[in-house]
Amino acid sequence: MAPLLSSQSSSVSLPSLSALLLLVSLQCHVASSALLYSLKHHHNSIHHQRPMIHANQTNCAMFVGTWVHDDTYPLYQSSSCPIIDPQFNCKMFGRPDSDYLKYRWRPLNCELPRFNGVEFLMQMKGKTIMFVGDSLGKNQWQSLICMIYATVPQTQTQMVRGMPLSTFRFLDYGVTISFYKAPFLVEVDVAQGKKILRLEEVDGNGDPWRNADVLSFNTGHWWTHVGALQGWDYVELGGKYYQDMDRLTALERGLKTWANWVDTNIDQSKTKVFFLGISPSHTNPNEWSSGVTTVTSKNCYGETAPISSSGTAYPGVFPEQMKVVDIVIREMRNPAYLMDITMLSALRKDAHPSVYSGDLSPAQRANPDYSDCSHWCLPGLPDAWNELFYTALFY
């Protein structure tokens, strides 16, 4: 926990709380500055850019393609995986349909290799994989463990849950797969009961990241939360404090801090670094109900099939956060490998927990307005992210 506001912090000498509040009132008319103007102009200038497409060593455009029905899926059953959180465990909490489990991602110009959990463990023997980010990164972390565990159900394992670090070990192979909760990637301090998002500091967050052999980062959703879900009381930038600022500007500054930390602290000849693109939400049926005048739901509730389209045109409005991610990664000295899953995930309006989440009470599960249209069921879409991750790691 950070020191009190009246004490000395690691970066600046902070004023008293009353002085801070006065400072905020003078500074924070939504962070008006030449910096914000220039960054917003920068965002507007790339508004019509196509998202970055990556290829692996075989020149397979892995992130452009289509979803195909495949009866050999899913790769595991939720009942046989020991790690799935209730919020992702849709079958346990009553989801009645199963077609959403039967889709495989097929890139336009290649076929992905079939995921092989034993090969994954052999390739990573004695090594550590760490996912760092928010609950979408946790979604992917749990998916990967389930995919591997299904192939070696008799192997010895160990699970240690903690905050911010949780770790799952395949003991017979010496493979450690961890999740480190850091929704913003940069530091959030607590001082005199107030949460301060420090856009220019990674600090202690980064210490556990240094020794991983594979790092997979993600961020995005928490930057847009408002009200009770907002992750900060004040934002610190350049020694000044703001109650709020342009959210894309804040994201860009935070990501640049993260990118500089990776460039400075991670030797990418020894550690592979990935960044998971923005995972889209499906809260607006108008994005996939073109030409339909009557929409029966306000969100993803009741959706049981993907959007009927190939992954070459984005349905709906492309997430602004992804444009920021694209810019920052391009500007890194040693760019992270961008897992560009945004478009292919946007087609899967059927794959969210909706009301089939253990985080809801029975009364809430009876109300479509409580649908979770941001996270993903397991088994489900994050398994495809991990098939792509597997391909990028080993092929």
Side-chain angles (χ1 to χ4, degrees):
M1 181 175 290
L4 297 178
L5 289 173
S6 58
S7 302
Q8 193 77 13
S9 80
S10 59
S11 59
V12 294
S13 179
L14 295 175
S16 67
L17 182 57
S18 59
L20 173 63
L21 293 175
L22 176 61
L23 189 62
V24 167
S25 68
L26 295 173
Q27 292 175 346
C28 94
H29 299 291
V30 189
S32 57
S33 69
L35 168 68
L36 296 183
Y37 175 81
S38 66
L39 286 178
K40 292 188 79 171
H41 178 74
H42 186 39
H43 291 239
N44 291 336
S45 71
I46 64 156
H47 185 77
H48 299 292
Q49 271 193 353
R50 289 176 60 84
M52 179 164 52
I53 296 172
H54 286 263
N56 69 352
Q57 294 88 337
T58 62
N59 295 318
C60 168
M62 295 194 298
F63 307 107
V64 181
T66 189
W67 289 98
V68 295
H69 196 272
D70 189 330
D71 283 329
T72 68
Y73 279 62
L75 299 177
Y76 60 93
Q77 299 297 323
S78 60
S79 59
S80 63
C81 183
I83 194 176
I84 302 175
D85 280 359
Q87 72 180 129
F88 311 140
N89 203 332
C90 303
K91 280 295 181 186
M92 177 178 287
F93 292 95
R95 180 160 182 169
D97 60 305
S98 58
D99 278 356
Y100 73 97
L101 299 171
K102 300 292 184 179
Y103 287 94
R104 171 172 56 85
W105 177 248
R106 176 192 285 166
L108 285 179
N109 61 342
C110 63
E111 290 283 350
L112 295 178
R114 182 82 173 186
F115 183 88
N116 185 318
V118 174
E119 181 190 8
F120 191 102
L121 291 172
M122 294 302 294
Q123 292 270 13
M124 295 302 299
K125 194 167 186 177
K127 295 183 178 179
T128 297
I129 304 104
M130 182 177 289
F131 293 89
V132 180
D134 59 25
S135 53
L136 278 310
K138 187 179 187 181
N139 225 171
Q140 186 184 6
W141 170 66
Q142 294 188 0
S143 162
L144 180 61
I145 292 168
C146 292
M147 292 168 72
I148 297 171
Y149 187 82
T151 65
V152 288
Q154 304 304 317
T155 195
Q156 295 294 308
T157 63
Q158 180 188 63
M159 175 70 190
V160 179
R161 291 186 184 270
M163 182 58 68
L165 181 65
S166 294
T167 297
F168 192 94
R169 294 183 175 90
F170 290 91
L171 298 175
D172 296 336
Y173 297 85
V175 174
T176 299
I177 306 178
S178 298
F179 172 70
Y180 188 98
K181 184 178 180 181
F184 301 101
L185 301 182
V186 292
E187 193 80 15
V188 179
D189 285 338
V190 178
Q192 292 196 357
K194 301 297 182 180
K195 291 177 289 186
I196 302 174
L197 176 63
R198 301 191 186 279
L199 295 180
E200 297 172 306
E201 297 181 20
V202 170
D203 285 358
N205 262 357
D207 292 340
W209 309 346
R210 298 175 190 271
N211 297 321
D213 298 286
V214 178
L215 284 166
S216 178
F217 294 94
N218 90 291
T219 191
H221 283 246
W222 281 53
W223 298 88
T224 63
H225 289 338
V226 296
L229 295 177
Q230 183 172 298
W232 67 81
D233 295 299
Y234 302 107
V235 179
E236 190 221 343
L237 176 62
K240 297 181 179 180
Y241 297 85
Y242 306 92
Q243 285 182 322
D244 208 349
M245 64 168 55
D246 179 273
R247 300 305 182 89
L248 292 179
T249 299
L251 171 62
E252 183 160 4
R253 289 309 302 256
L255 277 177
K256 285 185 173 180
T257 297
W258 162 82
N260 181 66
W261 186 94
V262 170
D263 277 335
T264 303
N265 292 277
I266 301 298
D267 181 352
Q268 293 199 45
S269 67
K270 298 177 180 178
T271 300
K272 295 182 179 180
V273 180
F274 293 82
F275 196 100
L276 183 73
I278 301 298
S279 174
S281 299
H282 289 91
T283 56
N284 181 8
N286 291 316
E287 293 189 354
W288 60 85
S289 303
S290 179
V292 178
T293 56
T294 302
V295 177
T296 59
S297 174
K298 300 177 182 178
N299 50 47
C300 65
Y301 176 79
E303 295 296 334
T304 59
I307 295 173
S308 298
S309 144
S310 64
T312 56
Y314 194 86
V317 180
F318 190 75
E320 292 286 341
Q321 303 104 302
M322 192 58 197
K323 298 174 185 178
V324 177
V325 168
D326 191 352
I327 290 171
V328 172
I329 289 180
R330 287 178 185 271
E331 293 176 349
M332 293 176 71
R333 291 198 304 273
N334 296 294
Y337 186 105
L338 178 59
M339 297 287 296
D340 198 357
I341 53 84
T342 305
M343 186 180 295
L344 66 92
S345 303
L347 301 176
R348 295 304 309 276
K349 61 183 172 60
D350 58 316
H352 297 285
S354 182
V355 296
Y356 306 108
S357 167
D359 282 357
L360 301 179
S361 69
Q364 289 171 331
R365 277 200 290 276
N367 185 346
D369 289 346
Y370 283 93
S371 292
D372 179 352
C373 300
S374 296
H375 299 104
W376 307 93
C377 295
L378 294 180
L381 176 68
D383 306 335
W385 299 350
N386 282 319
E387 289 177 300
L388 292 160
F389 182 55
Y390 172 78
T391 302
L393 270 174
F394 303 132
Y395 289 87

